[in-house]
Amino acid sequence: FALPALRAPLVTAPAALRSVMGGGPQIPYPKWVWTPVGGWYNNYPKNYQRNGLIMAAGWFAAVTAIFQLSIRCERRAVAPHRPIPSQRWCKYAHVDDPTLKARWDAM
């Protein structure tokens, strides 16, 4: 029993054809349109790495702030039947579930 090939093997064009392939010349496009990915013909901007690091730092700061808010506000009206990881750093976990320390030690 043999399974059929799921996709055709990758075939590259000969070197002579590779120079003419590529879709032809760039077509005119509206210069006033801004896109977050760099436009129609994206040649990496000079500072794309710096901008990426700035965005990563911004995301990290936002996620950290949301996580800190979650830690301060998390409350449980009914204790879970088994310990869950967020109870390790939750501010009110020991108040909401007095048996928590014993259950963590039993695990």
Side-chain angles (χ1 to χ4, degrees), residues 48-59:
Y48 79 96
Q49 289 178 326
R50 185 200 62 173
N51 291 347
L53 288 175
I54 291 171
M55 287 303 299
W59 274 103

Side-chain angles (χ1 to χ4, degrees), residues 3 12 24 38:
L3 294 174
T12 59

Side-chain angles (χ1 to χ4, degrees), residues 34-48:
W34 178 87
T35 63
V37 293
W40 277 262
Y41 304 105
N42 184 12
N43 298 326
Y44 288 114
K46 296 175 188 172
N47 53 358
Y48 79 96

Side-chain angles (χ1 to χ4, degrees), residues 65-82:
I66 292 169
F67 184 71
Q68 294 295 328
L69 179 67
S70 172
I71 288 172
R72 285 196 311 263
C73 297
E74 182 176 345
R75 297 298 304 254
R76 298 192 184 279
V78 177
H81 66 280
R82 60 177 174 75

